[in-house]
Amino acid sequence: MSEFVRKNICDGVAFGSIRDDRFKIGRISATLIVPLSRNTAAANALLSCVLTRSCKKYPDFTALSRKLDSLYGAALYPSVRQTGDYQALTITATGIDDQYALDGNSVSSELAELLCSILFEPNVTDLRFDEEDVEQERRQLIENIDAEYSEKRLYAVKRCIEVMCRDEVFSVGRYGSRQDVEKLTNENIYDAWQTLLKEARVELTMLGNTDPQNAYEGFAGYFGGLPRTVRTVPHIDVHPKEVKRVAETEEVSQSKLVMGFRSARPATDAQALENSLMSAILGATPTSKLFLNVREKKSLCYYCVSRVDNDKGIMLIDSGVETENIEKAEQAIMEQVNSLKNGNITDSELEDAKLAMKNSVMSSLDNLAAMQSFYLTRLMRNDPLSPLEAFKLIDGITKNRIVELAQQIEPDTVYSLVGN
Amino acid sequence: MEFTKIENKRVNEEYYRLEHSSGLTVIVYPKKGFNSVYASIGTKFGSIYSRFTNNGREICVPDGTAHYLEHKLFESEDGDAFSKYAKTGASANAYTSFDMTCYLFSCTDKFRESLEILIDLIQTPYFTKETVAKEQGIIAQEIKMYDDSPDWRVMMNLFKGLYHHHPINIDIAGSVESIAEITPEILYECYNSYYNLHNMVMTVVGGVDPQEVRSIVDEKIRPSEKIDTQVLFPEEPYKVVRSYTEQVLPVAVPMFELGFKEDSGSRYATSRELIATSILMNAFVGESSELYRRLLDAKLVNAAFGHEYLEGLGYRSLIISGESRNPKAAAEMIDEAVRKLHKNGISEAEFENARKVVYGKMVAGFDYKSSLASELMNGEFTGRKLFDGIEAVADITLKDINERLEVQLDADNCCLSVVKGM
């Protein structure tokens, strides 16, 4: 495989590629990144669904699906993420490598063209998206938002974040709210499209066994002429004055406990790795403090996991427990957090976590989706590292550095979803 | 014995298979240029193996025993396997399904040490009263987590609605009550019956050399004496138990699974049958199908819509699932389309279209180590060969698909399972 090669197309638009002959599928994506805002989050999210439903050339859902079928079941889909105080909309196209196409068609160049059409030649007439497309996708997005309530582990984490960050734009969520989506007009979606093309930071990626030059030129042709100004937002640090406690009841047989903390918000990619290692020692592996003590020693839960959001500067620990054990679990978790803060880290805890993290970094090179995610995550930070650089850097992280980072953890919110 | 090379020119892929003298079947699938190796050992023993014979002696075990055994095998007298893997950096896991239990790891360094840990893990059972008791709390929480999972409930309720007696209608992890009956003796009984190398398969996929795997197996594995085990299933009628089942759970959008029960005979489906079914279902309810479009236009489903084939010893059902504000109306529309399908069959154009989709999915499958590993293992347990699928796609005809349809999607033998909100 080649290195990740990143070229600028124009202001705020870059094209990154890896040529790799190990895979039978290729992966092309466009990620549009804008500051998260209550006013635009829902419109952007709905736009990404409407864009992948049809375009000028394939003006209805079934026509576009048939086209994808004819490209050997190629996939085209939107995904919306929150990355710190930004909203990232990704449209991904995947399809088999050209050499496996039975009719000699070039699947990769058709997919690259299709992705350009999706972004620049949508199904718009007189400044309006197709009404039926908008209504269909609005209904589905609302059902999607409603469905977040169904899986209680995810729902509890979402509620904890809403409580914890209620005065911050972060609590808007990746899709905005159901009410926001209901209120959207066709004009809002059209405006969102125009604004995104001019103001979003755009990261294009092409991974697989195809020469990326044609796709690069295709995208450059479309983006090249656009007047662009990329918008950014400053980050605001938050230090909780007191711990917020919210308990909500629900008809569930297992209660959920989610503890939200403020943690370091690393400026560079290297610092983000250090912070992730800190979280790995605490609760992200089967030999972590939380797994060994809260699960294995006390048999309180099946899962008890910590993770840091380096772009936001928060850490969440979530667990599923018996209602009568919620307090016990909270205590047991805090004991482990404090133990980490006090520097109770054995050499073997540090080394085990490093090995697990190195394994995860190197494994990501064997999977195109993981590679895409690896690079996109890093591009949001200063001084992004390659997997090999990350691998080498992990070895040098010291126990002192982990303790320094652990000491920046501040409890902010304890949320529980209590079963009856 | 030496490795046999098995290759396929259509997709330029190859792997190596060995029936090791110990009884273990070893499959190595080298992936050139890959950093990581995905290794697994599985036994043909899952949750539905609750009644069986061992050299003629009949044994019955509590529901959830196979899964409990999976948890406990991680522990041995000198500590648990997770802490051993931690020293190699491997990421380890295990799972129990209806028809197998599998132990696995993925590593980018220290492959030999990691594989030794995996081999030790399955060869050194250590169950005491205390260690078995300790797991009750953890597994009870796992069971409760699934009790709250609407995806899981809607599926299990469907199986209960489809199957009268076959143990596919029982949760893999059992219940809080059934696992309370599990003792070290029961675990040893199952271990001695099914963790016999003649009943097990090792698959290793990734940046690895077959001879290296061979040398580790030669060195570490202790041969098993072949024993005769037979799983026993009660007689299962063709007809479903009921046509509708529902459960109320805190969900905002109801979920449904519509299952069509088939005659399952006494053997596994062949690769060709699976491919024919897959093409049939892609044509009938795939993304570009007329039915999916009509369901969308009627606002009866959303993008969380799909289909799968549930298939194993003694059970075969086609399942169409989704989220819907009105599951009954969605099911009615599907029912009507099924009846029409039986009258008209699928068209040549739909067939060619769906065939391309299925071909593309199969080609893509070769990129994923974990899915290759489980396909290979599953193949050993069911008598299906990995490359038979891709070959079947190439020469299957519309006639095959329409013949398959004759014994599938019986509109008078289906069950709708719904999970809806309070």
Side-chain angles (χ1 to χ4, degrees):
Chain A
M1 68 182 275
S2 76
E3 293 282 295
F4 183 67
V5 183
R6 189 158 170 271
K7 295 197 248 182
N8 265 333
I9 286 183
C10 60
D11 276 353
V13 182
F15 179 92
S17 62
I18 293 177
R19 186 84 193 264
D20 195 327
D21 63 6
R22 293 176 302 161
F23 299 103
K24 291 183 157 49
I25 41 175
R27 194 175 179 93
I28 313 172
S29 72
T31 302
L32 292 82
I33 304 154
V34 281
L36 185 64
S37 145
R38 168 67 69 196
N39 298 327
T40 54
N44 290 338
L46 184 53
L47 172 74
S48 67
C49 304
V50 170
L51 286 179
T52 46
R53 187 178 168 87
S54 68
C55 60
K56 267 260 162 346
K57 204 167 170 194
Y58 304 102
D60 99 330
F61 174 75
T62 307
L64 183 55
S65 296
R66 293 237 160 95
K67 176 63 191 169
L68 292 166
D69 282 1
S70 77
L71 297 171
Y72 304 94
L76 177 76
Y77 56 90
S79 53
V80 183
R81 285 177 303 127
Q82 235 176 300
T83 153
D85 292 330
Y86 290 85
Q87 184 185 27
L89 314 148
T90 301
I91 297 175
T92 304
T94 64
I96 60 170
D97 187 58
D98 296 349
Q99 62 176 306
Y100 299 103
L102 302 169
D103 51 11
N105 274 355
S106 170
V107 175
S108 61
S109 56
E110 293 225 34
L111 282 181
E113 261 174 54
L114 190 57
L115 193 50
C116 286
S117 310
I118 293 290
L119 285 172
F120 288 96
E121 294 155 358
N123 196 359
V124 166
T125 322
D126 298 332
L127 311 184
R128 294 178 74 77
F129 280 91
D130 182 84
E131 305 291 346
E132 201 194 308
D133 280 0
V134 172
E135 288 321 308
Q136 267 292 344
E137 292 302 325
R138 184 205 305 273
R139 171 185 70 87
Q140 295 196 47
L141 182 57
I142 288 172
E143 289 180 2
N144 208 342
I145 292 171
D146 285 351
E148 289 182 334
Y149 165 69
S150 301
E151 210 45 69
K152 294 298 178 285
R153 179 172 180 182
L154 300 177
Y155 174 70
V157 168
K158 184 184 168 211
R159 285 291 300 133
C160 180
I161 291 173
E162 282 171 356
V163 171
M164 180 167 166
C165 305
R166 63 191 167 202
D167 301 323
E168 298 155 65
V169 67
F170 194 72
S171 64
V172 166
R174 56 187 176 151
Y175 298 140
S177 70
R178 186 187 212 276
Q179 290 73 22
D180 296 338
V181 178
E182 279 171 347
K183 280 188 291 197
L184 289 174
T185 63
N186 204 312
E187 289 75 24
N188 295 146
I189 298 163
Y190 186 84
D191 289 345
W193 177 50
Q194 289 290 308
T195 310
L196 279 168
L197 288 185
K198 289 179 199 135
E199 297 183 3
R201 173 175 169 182
V202 182
E203 293 291 340
L204 304 158
T205 63
M206 182 162 189
L207 313 175
N209 191 25
T210 310
D211 183 350
Q213 188 57 27
N214 281 341
Y216 169 80
E217 282 165 17
F219 283 116
Y222 279 102
F223 276 108
L226 281 180
R228 309 192 87 249
T229 328
V230 171
R231 283 192 303 134
T232 54
V233 280
H235 176 78
I236 301 158
D237 276 334
V238 178
H239 298 283
K241 288 190 189 71
E242 57 182 11
V243 176
K244 299 188 266 291
R245 291 188 162 271
V246 172
E248 293 172 330
T249 54
E250 190 60 85
E251 289 294 324
V252 286
S253 48
Q254 180 184 67
S255 294
K256 308 289 179 199
L257 171 67
V258 189
M259 300 175 70
F261 300 81
R262 301 287 168 173
S263 62
R265 184 174 173 279
T268 64
D269 195 18
Q271 289 164 5
L273 271 183
E274 297 169 342
N275 210 36
S276 297
L277 183 64
M278 184 271 296
S279 169
I281 295 169
L282 177 62
T285 75
T287 48
S288 64
K289 288 182 177 295
L290 293 178
F291 190 95
L292 287 185
N293 292 290
V294 187
R295 171 177 148 139
E296 293 294 307
K297 272 207 190 113
K298 305 204 165 166
S299 296
L300 282 170
C301 54
Y302 173 63
Y303 69 91
C304 183
V305 178
S306 72
R307 58 180 167 281
V308 282
D309 180 334
N310 284 309
D311 301 303
K312 177 62 185 166
I314 60 176
M315 180 176 82
L316 297 169
I317 296 176
D318 83 314
S319 182
V321 291
E322 282 296 310
T323 302
E324 72 246 31
N325 285 338
I326 294 179
E327 227 170 281
K328 236 190 257 174
E330 185 187 332
Q331 270 173 17
I333 290 168
M334 278 316 292
E335 266 171 36
Q336 297 310 314
V337 171
N338 289 327
S339 155
L340 187 76
K341 283 183 167 195
N342 293 333
N344 294 324
I345 304 167
T346 64
D347 290 346
S348 115
E349 281 176 315
L350 181 65
E351 287 316 308
D352 292 356
K354 281 182 180 179
L355 283 175
M357 210 162 141
K358 286 197 289 188
N359 187 48
S360 139
V361 167
M362 292 315 282
S363 299
S364 70
L365 288 170
D366 284 354
N367 175 307
L368 293 181
M371 264 196 252
Q372 179 183 321
S373 149
F374 184 93
Y375 284 104
L376 284 177
T377 307
R378 279 166 171 83
L379 290 172
M380 293 301 291
R381 300 177 190 146
N382 295 327
D383 310 322
L385 303 166
S386 73
L388 273 179
E389 288 166 334
F391 181 85
K392 285 183 194 142
L393 196 135
I394 292 166
D395 267 332
I397 302 175
T398 62
K399 185 175 138 185
N400 283 345
R401 183 61 191 141
I402 298 298
V403 177
E404 257 172 51
L405 287 164
Q407 283 169 353
Q408 293 181 51
I409 296 172
E410 300 167 81
D412 184 299
T413 299
V414 178
Y415 173 82
S416 45
L417 189 67
V418 184
N420 284 333
Chain B
M1 288 287 272
E2 283 305 313
F3 278 108
T4 310
K5 178 167 144 179
I6 298 154
E7 59 185 331
N8 183 279
K9 294 270 186 263
R10 201 178 293 279
V11 285
N12 291 327
E13 294 284 311
E14 61 183 46
Y15 65 90
Y16 299 82
R17 183 178 184 279
L18 167 75
E19 282 172 23
H20 192 261
S21 54
S22 60
L24 182 69
T25 301
V26 180
I27 297 178
V28 184
Y29 198 120
K31 281 280 196 187
K32 224 177 121 196
F34 276 64
N35 297 292
S36 57
V37 185
Y38 182 101
S40 54
I41 297 184
T43 166
K44 192 176 173 179
F45 177 63
S47 67
I48 60 173
Y49 289 68
S50 50
R51 228 182 106 217
F52 53 88
T53 58
N54 175 334
N55 285 340
R57 188 168 50 94
E58 189 175 326
I59 297 159
C60 254
V61 298
D63 296 338
T65 300
H67 172 255
Y68 212 98
L69 177 54
E70 172 227 302
H71 270 242
K72 290 327 297 173
L73 212 54
F74 263 76
E75 243 168 282
S76 62
E77 223 169 338
D78 61 342
D80 82 304
F82 278 132
S83 60
K84 293 175 195 161
Y85 281 123
K87 304 301 169 207
T88 72
S91 155
N93 213 336
Y95 63 86
T96 306
S97 68
F98 290 108
D99 42 24
M100 67 160 114
T101 310
C102 189
Y103 302 80
L104 59 98
F105 70 84
S106 166
C107 73
T108 48
D109 192 17
K110 300 195 172 130
F111 167 69
R112 173 174 277 271
E113 291 87 334
S114 301
L115 190 63
E116 286 175 355
I117 296 167
L118 181 63
I119 293 172
D120 275 341
L121 187 163
I122 57 120
Q123 292 197 129
T124 51
Y126 175 67
F127 316 129
T128 67
K129 246 189 166 146
E130 291 69 39
T131 64
V132 171
K134 193 206 80 177
E135 211 67 17
Q136 301 268 356
I138 296 169
I139 295 181
Q141 286 314 309
E142 190 179 359
I143 290 171
K144 291 197 166 188
M145 184 175 83
Y146 279 102
D147 284 345
D148 288 335
S149 163
D151 292 310
W152 188 256
R153 291 319 320 160
V154 75
M155 184 187 87
M156 282 316 304
N157 294 344
L158 174 70
F159 295 175
K160 286 183 210 298
L162 291 172
Y163 291 90
H164 296 261
H165 311 300
H166 194 287
I168 188 91
N169 67 9
I170 296 166
D171 267 86
I172 291 173
S175 63
V176 174
E177 295 74 33
S178 74
I179 62 167
E181 296 167 25
I182 295 172
T183 60
E185 292 72 33
I186 293 173
L187 296 183
Y188 277 115
E189 185 85 88
C190 292
Y191 179 86
N192 291 330
S193 301
Y194 279 102
Y195 284 68
N196 178 293
L197 296 179
H198 295 272
N199 191 51
M200 301 182 85
V201 175
M202 172 191 281
T203 58
V204 184
V205 186
V208 70
D209 168 43
Q211 291 313 327
E212 187 185 0
V213 176
R214 171 85 200 251
S215 79
I216 302 166
V217 172
D218 282 347
E219 209 172 289
K220 286 294 288 186
I221 213 113
R222 289 194 309 271
S224 292
E225 201 173 308
K226 198 166 182 176
I227 49 172
D228 176 42
T229 53
Q230 298 279 336
V231 61
L232 304 172
F233 297 127
E235 191 79 11
E236 176 65 34
Y238 175 72
K239 281 284 169 193
V240 299
V241 181
R242 58 183 73 87
S243 59
Y244 182 76
T245 173
E246 72 170 36
Q247 183 179 357
V248 173
L249 278 176
V251 296
V253 189
M255 293 174 186
F256 72 90
E257 290 207 353
L258 177 62
F260 296 84
K261 187 177 176 183
E262 297 166 22
D263 182 10
S264 57
S266 54
R267 60 165 178 87
Y268 291 100
T270 62
S271 298
R272 209 176 170 77
E273 286 171 335
L274 293 187
I275 290 300
T277 298
S278 181
I279 292 175
L280 172 66
M281 292 308 277
N282 268 288
F284 180 54
V285 288
E287 294 255 312
S288 68
S289 66
E290 192 197 319
L291 175 58
Y292 182 44
R293 181 60 189 267
R294 283 179 50 221
L295 286 162
L296 280 179
D297 286 350
K299 302 183 176 147
L300 287 173
V301 297
N302 57 35
F305 181 71
H307 56 88
E308 71 165 308
Y309 193 33
L310 171 80
E311 182 270 334
L313 265 194
Y315 57 95
R316 286 189 195 190
S317 289
L318 264 170
I319 300 167
I320 297 172
S321 60
E323 292 174 356
S324 179
R325 300 275 183 208
N326 189 348
K328 282 187 179 165
E332 270 167 36
M333 194 179 271
I334 296 168
D335 179 86
E336 197 186 301
V338 165
R339 291 176 196 276
K340 211 176 117 201
L341 179 70
H342 276 288
K343 229 180 273 165
N344 305 337
I346 63 167
S347 71
E348 189 70 40
E350 287 169 327
F351 164 66
E352 280 308 335
N353 200 55
R355 190 200 346 217
K356 274 191 163 184
V357 173
V358 171
Y359 169 78
K361 281 186 185 157
M362 298 210 66
V363 170
F366 291 101
D367 277 358
Y368 301 99
K369 292 189 300 286
S370 59
S371 74
L372 271 176
S374 70
E375 278 284 308
L376 287 163
M377 185 162 307
N378 212 16
E380 288 296 328
F381 292 152
T382 57
R384 296 191 283 255
K385 297 198 172 60
L386 183 70
F387 298 130
D388 286 357
I390 195 100
E391 289 306 312
V393 184
D395 67 12
I396 209 155
T397 64
L398 175 57
K399 195 168 151 272
D400 293 323
I401 312 297
N402 283 325
E403 269 174 23
R404 189 84 184 116
L405 171 62
E406 280 173 25
V407 293
Q408 298 198 291
L409 292 171
D410 180 350
D412 296 316
N413 202 31
C414 64
C415 174
L416 174 66
S417 166
V418 173
V419 163
K420 60 178 194 180
M422 311 271 173

